[in-house]
């Protein structure tokens, strides 16, 4: 099963991808995560992406398409994958179609998480994750069961993303509306688009996605 989760920054794509991936034994492919790893490792891609990501802009289509194309070929993707944060532009969507075709793979669903704009800033500025296993949390909406201890791995170290500040978030929202929102129309026109109420509580959203997938 191969699917795309669409939605603005903070909509809950990563949170839902984590749930669905675990449940279905498929992999979560977050271009944001891959780019952050490249920045941390200081690779050529990381050097190109760093300043763009810090400002809240979009990294070039060539870079992210290249990353995804290579990643999809790895053995753990054979069962399926969830694209979280890709495609983000119309050229990326076209490139994805082409590369799936060439690899003999298909898309099973494109699911949009619909969230009110006013909720996004609060979601993003309250977001943090486990430094060890990457599990995602929120100061208000998804606290660890035991304060300061990761539910998944027991680690007591957490991180916040440098770009999760209000100023950068506004730029990221701008990039979303300019470049990514047209994908909703694109997939609608292809009769691929489905949506869930991303304002519902986390578990409720997961149930809505499960209903689409079953
Ligand atoms: P995205 O990957 O789309 O940028 P995330 O999955 O990281 O978004 O979610 C952003 C923040 O909002 C996280 O801190 C997450 O815990 C929280 N969150 C996700 N889904 C919901 C929801 N349905 N209700 C409330 N908070 C949520
Ligand atoms: P969020 O879901 O909160 O928007 P991501 O982790 O998906 O954050 O992305 C973080 C940053 O990485 C983006 O602001 C952008 O600079 C870059 N990025 C991630 N995916 C893409 C993509 N598909 N195309 C271009 N830039 C990307
Ligand atoms: Zn953890």
């Amino acid at each position: 099963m191969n699917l795309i989760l669409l939605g603005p920054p903070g909509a809950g794509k990563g949170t839902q991808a984590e749930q669905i991936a675990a449940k279905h034994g498929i992999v979560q492919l977050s271009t944001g995560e891959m780019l952050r790893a490249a920045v941390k490792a200081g690779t050529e891609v990381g050097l190109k992406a760093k300043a763009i990501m810090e400002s809240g802009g979009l990294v070039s289509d060539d870079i992210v398409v290249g990353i995804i194309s290579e990643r999809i070929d790895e053995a753990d993707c054979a069962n399926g994958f969830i694209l979280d944060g890709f495609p983000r532009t119309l050229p990326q969507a076209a490139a994805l179609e082409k590369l799936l075709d060439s690899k003999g793979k298909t898309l099973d669903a494109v699911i949009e998480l619909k969230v009110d704009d006013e909720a996004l800033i609060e979601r993003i500025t309250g977001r943090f994750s486990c430094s060890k296993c990457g599990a995602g949390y929120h100061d208000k909406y998804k606290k660890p069961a035991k304060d300061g201890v990761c539910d998944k791995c027991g680690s007591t170290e957490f991180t916040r993303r440098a770009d999760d500040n209000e100023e950068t978030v506004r730029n990221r929202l701008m990039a979303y509306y300019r470049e990514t929102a047209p994908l909703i129309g694109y997939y609608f026109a292809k009769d691929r688009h489905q949506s869930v109420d991303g304002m519902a509580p986390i578990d409720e959203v997961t149930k809505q996605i499960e209903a689409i997938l079953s």
Side-chain angles (χ1 to χ4, degrees):
M1 185 170 62
N2 304 322
L3 52 134
I4 295 177
L5 291 183
L6 267 183
K13 303 179 298 293
T15 304
Q16 296 303 328
E18 201 181 309
Q19 306 285 336
I20 305 289
K23 225 175 231 168
H24 293 265
I26 58 181
V27 252
Q28 171 184 2
L29 302 183
S30 157
T31 38
E33 282 301 326
M34 294 175 206
L35 290 167
R36 278 187 290 282
V39 169
K40 203 169 167 192
T43 64
E44 200 180 317
V45 163
L47 292 175
K48 283 186 188 151
K50 189 170 188 285
I52 299 170
M53 292 173 75
E54 278 168 0
S55 71
L58 291 181
V59 174
S60 81
D61 291 338
D62 287 352
I63 290 182
V64 288
V65 169
I67 293 180
I68 282 292
S69 177
E70 276 180 22
R71 184 65 185 86
I72 285 176
D73 286 337
E74 285 175 37
D76 62 347
C77 289
N79 250 341
F81 48 80
I82 305 176
L83 295 171
D84 153 16
F86 179 91
R88 245 176 163 101
T89 65
L90 288 168
Q92 288 178 25
L96 174 65
E97 219 157 79
K98 231 167 148 184
L99 74 87
L100 289 179
D101 259 356
S102 74
K103 297 176 199 289
K105 293 179 189 281
T106 50
L107 260 186
D108 299 291
V110 179
I111 302 174
E112 180 201 358
L113 301 175
K114 283 186 181 284
V115 176
D116 298 344
D117 288 336
E118 303 82 69
L120 297 171
I121 308 272
E122 191 197 17
R123 282 198 186 176
I124 291 185
T125 50
R127 163 161 74 184
F128 62 99
S129 63
C130 172
S131 309
K132 198 170 158 203
C133 75
Y137 294 98
H138 191 278
D139 291 326
K140 194 160 146 194
Y141 302 116
K142 193 174 186 243
K143 295 184 188 172
K146 185 163 181 265
D147 220 22
V149 183
C150 176
D151 295 343
K152 290 243 165 82
C153 76
S155 166
T156 53
E157 277 178 47
F158 296 89
T159 57
R160 286 179 195 263
R161 280 166 50 180
D163 61 344
D164 277 353
N165 60 76
E166 189 162 341
E167 191 194 331
T168 307
V169 170
R170 291 192 186 276
N171 287 337
R172 285 157 61 197
L173 270 177
M174 208 78 85
Y176 175 79
Y177 282 110
R178 195 174 289 144
E179 305 274 358
T180 312
L183 293 181
I184 293 165
Y186 174 87
Y187 286 114
F188 179 79
K190 285 182 169 287
D191 202 15
R192 299 313 307 269
H193 170 264
Q194 284 169 292
S195 65
V196 296
D197 175 17
M199 292 302 291
I202 292 173
D203 292 347
E204 185 53 42
V205 180
T206 309
K207 281 188 198 142
Q208 288 183 32
I209 296 174
E210 287 293 339
I212 289 177
L213 298 180
S214 66

